[in-house]
């Protein structure tokens, strides 16, 4: 994987660049739709490419390991062949999913023991094992196994957790460098900076990660219960240390405002389930604010979902019609909302990139944060 830093905004740390993989080039900053089990919920691959204009999507090691399993993925020739997506794929190592199974997992030096949420069967994720699983999945960008502590964890627990994550990282990095891809193209491996909400732990983690010299680096363990301002502070702390000539991936974040604030602080890559999950529940994000499509105020509003500027779905879909679909519990409502929200997110980061290249990102971003946080 290669990264070209093309521009940095003169008034902040916002960056524009190009990430080149064997499955294509990604223009940054970029938002990555989440396709946990090999699909972005309610969205076809054609829509991801043509309507949403996604450049890279995510898969999840935990979920793909359980279903369909690595044997099926190997037989298919990897996830790209299995799901028909011919552009880059990034896989999360499953650390966050194991974290979320707190009642059904145990963390040991050797790895994370857990029970499947599907059938209760017992499994072990080791740092080496998740590299092997991601080799079988065939992701262009693989992630290290880490522990993701709560944003409210106390200092002693956070320090202990970071120690475990660091030891796991060294083992995973060794396994990655000892193995090769299975399908004839290059894969790369991102370490993850943890450290909870404690600046000294974040600095320690960032220094240890930077020393590895990986092709890119990730910031994990944020948006897990801490206030947004604390999250932004941790991003600043980490990005002061992470190499400027490598992409920085902020994991699992978040709202349109979160994304713009992260870009201002030098983040290049982001993902979140929010556009699809919230969309399926009737929340639409627009360039003018947030709409709850179940609200009665939209019942006789026959204007398009976004009245001016870019249209993220067919303008024939009016607010009144989409509200009707949600009230009637029609599946089409979830599909329209998912496509709209994802296309809006991709448009937003595309506009951020355009303003970074033009050198006027900061004033545009300040105005956009105020707009995208309004409740319509």
């Amino acid at each position: 994987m290669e990264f070209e830093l093309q521009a940095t905004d003169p008034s902040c740390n916002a960056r524009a660049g190009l990430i080149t993989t064997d499955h294509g080039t990604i223009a940054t900053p970029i938002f990555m739709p989440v396709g946990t089990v090999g699909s972005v919920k309610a969205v076809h691959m054609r829509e991801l490419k043509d309507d949403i204009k996604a450049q890279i999507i995510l898969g999840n090691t935990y979920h793909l390991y359980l279903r369909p399993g690595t044997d099926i993925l190997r037989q298919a020739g990897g996830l790209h062949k299995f799901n028909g997506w011919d552009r880059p794929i990034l896989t999360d190592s499953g650390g966050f999913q194991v974290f979320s199974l707190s009642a059904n997992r145990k963390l040991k030096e050797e790895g994370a023991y857990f029970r499947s949420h599907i059938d209760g069967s017992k499994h072990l994720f080791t740092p080496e094992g998740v590299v092997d699983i991601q080799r079988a999945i065939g992701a262009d960008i693989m992630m290290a196994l880490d522990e993701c502590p709560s944003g409210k964890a106390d200092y002693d627990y956070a320090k202990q957790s970071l120690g475990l994550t660091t030891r796991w990282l060294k083992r995973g990095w060794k396994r990655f460098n000892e193995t090769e891809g299975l399908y004839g193209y290059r894969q790369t491996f991102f370490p993850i900076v943890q450290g909870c909400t404690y600046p000294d732990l974040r600095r320690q983690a960032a220094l240890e990660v930077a020393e590895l010299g990986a092709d890119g680096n990730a910031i994990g363990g944020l948006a897990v219960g801490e206030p947004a301002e604390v999250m932004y502070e941790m991003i600043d702390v980490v990005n002061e240390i992470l190499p400027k000539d490598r992409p920085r991936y902020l994991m699992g974040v978040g709202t349109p405002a979160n994304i713009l604030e992260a870009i201002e602080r030098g983040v290049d890559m982001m993902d979140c389930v929010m556009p699809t999950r919230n969309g399926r529940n009737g929340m639409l994000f627009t360039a003018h604010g947030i709409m709850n499509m179940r609200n009665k105020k939209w019942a006789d509003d026959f204007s398009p979902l976004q009245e001016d500027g870019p249209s993220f779905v067919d303008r024939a879909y009016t607010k009144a019609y989409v509200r009707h679909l949600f009230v009637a519990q029609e599946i089409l409502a979830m599909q329209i909302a998912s496509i709209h929200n994802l296309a809006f997110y991709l448009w937003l980061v595309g506009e951020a990139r355009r303003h970074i290249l033009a050198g006027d990102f900061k004033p545009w971003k300040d105005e956009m944060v105020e707009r995208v946080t309004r409740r319509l």
Side-chain angles (χ1 to χ4, degrees), residues 5 32 34 49 97 121 179 220 231 282 311 320 332 339:
L5 181 59
M32 303 178 287
V34 177
K49 291 180 180 180
Q97 284 67 37
S121 55
T179 56
M231 175 175 70
S311 179
L332 181 58
I339 294 169

Side-chain angles (χ1 to χ4, degrees), residues 260 263 347-356 360-372:
L260 293 173
I263 291 171
W347 172 84
L348 187 67
V349 295
E351 285 294 288
R353 173 181 168 82
R354 186 170 68 83
H355 284 280
I356 293 166
D360 62 355
F361 170 81
K362 185 68 165 66
W364 171 83
K365 168 257 168 185
D366 289 344
E367 178 187 351
M368 284 302 299
V369 166
E370 192 279 325
R371 287 170 57 183
V372 299

Side-chain angles (χ1 to χ4, degrees), residues 120-140:
S121 55
K122 294 180 180 179
H123 302 270
L124 169 64
F125 270 3
T126 66
E128 298 83 1
V130 297
V131 170
D132 296 342
I133 295 167
Q134 290 177 94
R135 289 289 195 197
I137 293 170
D140 299 87

Side-chain angles (χ1 to χ4, degrees), residues 95 99 105 107 145-149 157 160-162 164-165 168 194:
F99 152 73
R105 53 91 166 156
L107 303 180
L145 180 66
D146 62 335
E147 187 200 354
C148 179
Y157 184 90
Q160 178 183 351
S161 171
L162 178 58
L164 183 63
T165 288
W168 283 357
Q194 289 287 352

Side-chain angles (χ1 to χ4, degrees), residues 2-280:
E2 298 170 0
F3 178 62
E4 176 191 351
L5 181 59
Q6 296 176 298
T8 300
D9 191 85
S11 59
C12 62
N13 292 319
R15 300 134 51 92
L18 294 174
I19 298 171
T20 302
T21 76
D22 285 355
H23 279 104
T25 298
I26 305 155
T28 64
I30 191 65
F31 179 82
M32 303 178 287
V34 177
T36 302
V37 298
S39 70
V40 178
K41 282 183 171 56
V43 180
H44 293 104
M45 294 299 175
R46 173 185 54 78
E47 293 159 339
L48 278 171
K49 291 180 180 180
D50 298 342
D51 301 328
I52 295 166
K53 297 179 172 54
Q55 300 177 48
I56 176 175
I57 63 173
L58 266 68
N60 184 263
T61 296
Y62 167 86
H63 289 281
L64 292 167
Y65 161 78
L66 292 176
R67 286 189 301 208
T70 53
D71 288 345
I72 294 295
L73 289 169
R74 281 175 180 266
Q75 291 177 49
L79 183 58
H80 289 89
K81 295 285 184 64
F82 189 59
N83 71 1
W85 178 257
D86 59 2
R87 296 177 183 179
I89 294 175
L90 181 150
T91 41
D92 182 3
S93 67
F96 180 79
Q97 284 67 37
V98 171
F99 152 73
S100 68
L101 296 170
S102 57
N104 292 303
R105 53 91 166 156
K106 289 184 179 179
L107 303 180
K108 303 282 188 178
E109 191 64 36
E110 58 268 31
Y113 291 88
F114 63 92
R115 288 186 178 273
S116 164
H117 71 285
I118 299 168
D119 59 10
S121 55
K122 294 180 180 179
H123 302 270
L124 169 64
F125 270 3
T126 66
E128 298 83 1
V130 297
V131 170
D132 296 342
I133 295 167
Q134 290 177 94
R135 289 289 195 197
I137 293 170
D140 299 87
I141 302 173
M142 305 157 52
M143 306 303 299
L145 180 66
D146 62 335
E147 187 200 354
C148 179
S150 163
K152 299 178 181 178
D154 64 40
Y155 185 86
D156 288 343
Y157 184 90
K159 184 175 182 179
Q160 178 183 351
S161 171
L162 178 58
L164 183 63
T165 288
T166 302
R167 294 190 296 275
W168 283 357
L169 171 59
K170 292 176 181 177
R171 290 166 52 191
W173 180 245
K174 182 173 183 290
R175 183 58 151 248
F176 172 75
N177 287 299
E178 292 173 345
T179 56
E180 298 288 339
L182 303 177
Y183 309 116
Y185 56 84
R186 295 171 295 172
Q187 295 176 279
T188 194
F189 179 96
F190 281 19
I192 303 173
V193 176
Q194 289 287 352
C196 201
T197 58
Y198 302 102
D200 62 323
L201 297 182
R202 286 282 176 179
R203 289 190 189 94
Q204 174 188 330
L207 287 167
E208 290 169 337
V209 161
E211 285 177 3
L212 292 180
D215 288 337
N217 301 293
I219 306 168
L222 295 175
V224 287
E226 80 284 355
E229 290 306 318
V230 174
M231 175 175 70
Y232 301 147
E233 179 189 352
M234 293 305 103
I235 296 170
D236 283 331
V237 166
V238 170
N239 280 348
E240 286 178 3
I241 297 169
L242 291 182
K244 291 181 171 56
D245 62 347
R246 310 293 165 91
R248 301 159 175 165
Y249 163 33
L250 178 62
M251 305 178 73
V253 180
T255 67
N258 291 157
I259 287 171
L260 293 173
E261 295 288 355
I263 291 171
E264 181 181 355
R265 289 162 172 80
V267 168
D268 306 294
M269 308 165 69
M270 292 139 288
D271 76 287
C272 192
V273 297
M274 184 171 284
T276 46
R277 178 179 290 170
N278 289 33
R280 294 194 305 274

